[in-house]
Amino acid sequence: MSRRRAVRRARRVQVHFWKRGEPTTYAGYTTNISMTGMYIATNSPVAQGARIRIEVMDQNRGFMVEGVVAHARKMRGDLARLNQSGMGVRFLSVEELVRELIPAAYGKTEEIPSGPQTPEPIPEIPEIPEIPEIPELPRAAESPPPSASDLFRSLAPPVPPQPEAAPPRPPIGTGGGTFAVRFEGPEEFLEVFRRDIRQGGLFVSTLYPARLQDSVLVELHPPLPGGEPVLLRARVVQRFEPQARDQAAGVNLLSGMGLELLDLPAVIQKLQPIVDRLG
């Protein structure tokens, strides 16, 4: 029986995190998120039980939250190409955080004395001169601050734009093929280049991921007017299976594949002029 109290949603969002009391910041991205926690894919997971603070970098909807690492997984050597390191994080509730501020007073009751008590004399309060009443100024309409539920609800996975029509993909498991990757604008292209491509990797969102260790071609379409696509060779090192309901609906929330770019120096040489132009 599952002990999860909240439904997890597939969502890929960039995050920064650091251990409480330490200045070093680490990078990663979410693979799923719920009202009570998230899973962070990162090459720098911290140990189980550690307290961390997380900054969610989702354009205008970013926020910060504090949590505890529930479980962590660190893949070493060649195994890192087959499975992503990461950690599951449980969010700390407001009650838990406030409890740390007042540990001595939390849950403590004060004994009520029994028997007759001699009332203490009440000191006389000097008379305060009357203050003339100040007319109340009209207030501007205020909107209530967003709650934690509203913030998480705003992270509900949007339906990403689908790639342009292409020849039918082979069935799952047959491998190979060419995959097109497009970007919404220069900011997204530069972020993917600095975060993934420069490290030798790339995530391709598709309902038809190739097999592990298959070689594939990627048509990278930079966000330039009239720009020609850049053709890259890569190998499949991670594979995310599509959910049956998403495949039937023709949408893609997180299915796809993690690629290892082949001949990385040549890739950087091809893309650096585009980066310089957009940056």
Side-chain angles (χ1 to χ4, degrees), residues 13-256:
V13 183
Q14 184 180 5
V15 298
H16 289 162
F17 63 90
W18 61 95
K19 293 178 67 175
R20 188 174 65 170
E22 295 185 3
T24 306
T25 302
Y26 303 97
Y29 61 88
T30 65
T31 60
N32 60 66
I33 187 168
S34 74
M35 299 295 292
T36 58
M38 63 171 58
Y39 188 86
I40 300 176
T42 175
N43 292 327
S44 307
V46 298
Q48 179 179 354
R51 282 278 293 275
I52 61 174
R53 289 175 179 165
I54 307 164
E55 182 180 8
V56 178
M57 315 288 289
D58 189 35
Q59 298 180 356
N60 297 328
R61 297 176 295 180
F63 61 94
M64 295 184 65
V65 67
E66 190 158 350
V68 176
V69 177
H71 55 87
R73 177 178 62 190
K74 177 66 175 177
M75 308 302 294
R76 302 184 182 278
D78 293 339
L79 295 178
R81 297 184 177 184
L82 303 178
N83 210 339
Q84 174 70 52
S85 299
M87 56 187 176
V89 179
R90 178 182 68 85
F91 298 141
L92 289 176
S93 66
V94 174
E95 181 183 10
E96 291 175 291
L97 295 174
V98 173
R99 185 183 304 170
E100 293 183 350
L101 295 178
I102 50 174
Y106 188 86
K108 184 177 180 181
T109 59
E110 186 175 14
E111 183 179 357
I112 300 176
S114 59
Q117 300 293 320
T118 303
E120 296 183 359
I122 301 176
E124 293 185 3
I125 301 176
E127 187 175 333
I128 300 175
E130 185 178 353
I131 301 175
E133 184 177 350
I134 300 176
E136 185 176 354
L137 297 177
R139 295 184 179 180
E142 296 182 357
S143 57
S147 64
S149 298
D150 294 332
L151 287 174
F152 281 105
R153 196 173 295 113
S154 68
L155 290 179
V159 178
Q162 298 300 305
E164 66 179 9
R169 302 293 188 196
I172 297 174
T174 59
T178 302
F179 299 84
V181 176
R182 300 182 181 276
F183 304 90
E184 293 183 358
E187 294 80 7
E188 183 183 10
F189 174 81
L190 293 174
E191 178 183 350
V192 171
F193 176 81
R194 293 163 182 160
R195 184 190 64 204
D196 298 333
I197 296 178
R198 197 163 56 182
Q199 309 304 321
L202 181 64
F203 179 82
V204 175
S205 177
T206 174
L207 286 172
Y208 304 99
R211 296 177 303 182
L212 286 174
Q213 301 303 317
D214 271 358
S215 295
V216 297
L217 293 177
V218 178
E219 285 185 355
L220 205 67
H221 293 259
L224 291 173
E228 294 293 329
V230 179
L231 197 62
L232 309 177
R233 294 175 57 250
R235 179 169 54 244
V236 180
V237 295
Q238 283 184 295
R239 193 171 187 272
F240 298 91
E241 293 286 351
Q243 300 296 320
R245 61 178 183 275
D246 299 335
Q247 192 171 12
V251 299
N252 179 24
L253 298 181
L254 192 65
S255 64

